[in-house]
Amino acid sequence: MEVNIINVCKTIGKETILSNVSFKVNQGDIFALVGPNGAGKTTLIRLILNLYNPDSGKITVNNVDVRSKEYDKVRQKIGFLLDNIGLFRDLTAWENLEFFHRIYFPNASKSIRNEKISMLLREFDLYSKKDSNISFFSRGMRQRLALARALVNDPELLILDEPSRGLDLEGQILLRDFILKNAKQGKTVFINSHDLLSLQKLCTKIAFINKGKIYDIGTYEELSKRYSKNIYSIKAKNKDKWLNELKRSTFVKWVHTEFDTVTVCVDNNYNNLPEWLHSRNVQIIELKKVSGDLEDIYQRIIGFSK
Amino acid sequence: MNPKLHPLLWKELKRQKKSKITPIIQVIAYCYFYIYLKSIFSIEIVLSLIPLMYVLAIQTDVFHYDFTNYIESLLSLPIEIINIIKSKCIFILLKAYVQSIITTLILLIYHVFIEKKDMVFSVKTFLLIIVLPIWQYYFSYFIGLVIWNLKSKIRIIPYLFQIIILLTCILLLSKNMVNILILIMLGLLLPISIGIKKLTETLSKERILKRSI
C-alpha cells in the first residue's frame, strides 16, 4: 500500500500542529517518522487513520482519499498499534484478538477464527496466557499482544506508533523481526519512534519532523551523506583546557563527549578545525572525520544544542 | 456463541459475563425497593417502571465504558460511530429487560403467593408495556448521542434525562394517567427524532477523540 501526504495542514485550537507536510511512502517501505515529542507525529497518524480531518491538503492510501466513503474498504487492510495500545482491560488476551477478528471478518467460521488467533498468540509467545485478563499483563506483554492484534486483519499497511515502548531486549528483537518479516511480505510499515538505533537498521526511508514541518527525508545512506560531512572525532590530551572554548566557538554546532573521545559537528563551510586545534597547542592523538549515525543526523537536523 | 453476533454486542456480553455480582446485587436491591414502592403504588405501575429503573443504572456504564485509552483504537476500526452507539442501546435494553423479567417474576411470586393478592392488567397498562421499550430505545439512542457527541465526560447527563422521565412516569402513573403518559411519550418521539438527526449530522471522530484524550 502507498501512502501519499500532500500539503497537509492541521491546527488544533490556536496551535499549528502540521504545516504543509508532504511526502510519499511507497509499497514495501519501512518508513520512519522521527522527531521530538509534540512534533506532530501522532497527529499525522490520526490523519492517516481518518480520526482527524486536515484543514487543507490531502491524504491518500492506495490512491483513495482517507475522507472518502471508499476508505472503509482500504481500512480493512490497515493494521495499527497506537500510542495508547488500545486493548480492552476487561477481556482476556484471546478475547481481545477475537473482538478485532470479529470486526474485520464478521462472517469467518469459528475454526478459521480460532486458528488465526492461536497462530498469532503463539507467534508473540502469549499462548500460555491466552485466558488471562490483560489487566494482569506487564507493559511489554500488552505491547506484544497489541502487535499481534495489528496483524489480525492480515494488513497490507502497518502503522506503528512508538512500538518499542515498554519492551525488554527480547521484545525489541521480536519487534525488529516482526517488522522485517512483514516488510519482506510486501507490507508497508509506517513507524513513529524514538528508537533511532533500531530505525537506522530497519528503515528504508526516514523523515525528520519538528514543529509540524518535515525537515528532511531520505534513506539512511542519503541522509548520512548529507549531514555527516562535518563531524570530527578527536582524541587529545588535556581536553579540559580546550573543550570549553571549542564548545563556545561560533563554528561549532554541537559537541558530544564520551570517555576520551570528543565528537564535534562544525558548520558546513568550516574546514579549519585541525588548524584551530593546533593553534591552541592541543596534543592530538587522533583526529578523523566520522560518518554519523542516525542520532548524529537527528542532532544536526533537529537538535542543534551544543 | 453465535458467530454472527455483532462484535460490539459480543464484546459487551463478554465484559458483562465477568461482572456477575453487580447485576445480582442490583436485582436484590431493586426487589426490596419495589416491594417498598408497592405500598405506595399499584403492582401494575411498579412493574411498568422496572425496565426504566434498570436502564438508568446500566446506560451510564455502557455509554462511558469506551472513553478510556482504547477509544482511539475503537474509532480507527472500520465501523461507524453510529453503529457503536446503536449496538450499545440494544445491549442496554437487552440487559435491562433480562433483569426486569427476573425482578418481575420475583415480585409476582411475592404479590400472588405471599401477599395473596390479585392482579388486574388493564389494556392501557399493556399498551404502556409495549410502548416503553420502543420509546426507551430511541431515548437511550438520543442519550448515547449526547454523551458521545457533546459532553462525553459529564456522567450526570444521562442520569438527569432519565430521572426526569422516571419522575414524570411515577407522577402520571400515581394519578392513574396512563393515557396521558403514553401520549406524552409518543409526542416526545418527534423532538427526540429531531435531536437524533441533528446529533448524528455533527457526530465526528475528531471531536470524540479530543474530548476523550
Side-chain angles (χ1 to χ4, degrees), chain B residues 19-36:
Chain B
S19 57
K20 287 172 190 144
I21 296 168
T22 315
I24 292 169
I25 292 171
Q26 256 174 13
V27 169
I28 295 167
Y30 275 35
C31 283
Y32 272 108
F33 178 63
Y34 292 125
I35 288 167
Y36 164 73

Side-chain angles (χ1 to χ4, degrees), chain B residues 10-143:
Chain B
W10 177 88
K11 185 196 85 181
E12 285 296 339
L13 286 171
K14 282 280 170 191
R15 182 168 83 86
Q16 298 288 335
K17 264 173 86 175
K18 292 186 175 72
S19 57
K20 287 172 190 144
I21 296 168
T22 315
I24 292 169
I25 292 171
Q26 256 174 13
V27 169
I28 295 167
Y30 275 35
C31 283
Y32 272 108
F33 178 63
Y34 292 125
I35 288 167
Y36 164 73
L37 272 188
K38 237 164 55 63
S39 60
I40 306 168
F41 306 115
S42 72
I43 180 78
E44 295 81 8
I45 291 170
V46 172
L47 293 183
S48 52
L49 284 175
I50 290 174
L52 292 185
M53 295 286 282
Y54 275 118
V55 168
L56 179 65
I58 297 163
Q59 71 183 1
T60 308
D61 165 57
V62 174
F63 280 135
H64 282 90
Y65 176 72
D66 294 314
F67 288 120
T68 49
N69 53 10
Y70 26 74
I71 185 73
E72 197 174 353
S73 290
L74 194 64
L75 295 176
S76 302
L77 293 170
I79 37 173
E80 297 284 330
I81 315 168
I82 208 79
N83 289 334
I84 298 175
I85 299 171
K86 276 182 186 171
S87 66
K88 281 179 183 289
C89 288
I90 293 168
F91 177 77
I92 290 163
L93 282 195
L94 277 176
K95 193 181 174 196
Y97 274 85
V98 167
Q99 283 185 298
S100 297
I101 289 165
I102 296 165
T103 313
T104 304
L105 286 173
I106 295 169
L107 280 183
L108 283 180
I109 290 166
Y110 180 83
H111 183 79
V112 176
F113 295 103
I114 297 173
E115 289 191 327
K116 298 195 184 302
K117 287 182 182 170
D118 292 333
M119 279 192 56
V120 186
F121 271 105
S122 65
V123 179
K124 285 179 202 168
T125 318
F126 270 119
L127 196 62
L128 186 66
I129 288 167
I130 292 165
V131 168
L132 267 178
I134 300 165
W135 188 86
Q136 186 61 56
Y137 172 79
Y138 284 102
F139 192 60
S140 288
Y141 188 18
F142 172 72
I143 287 176

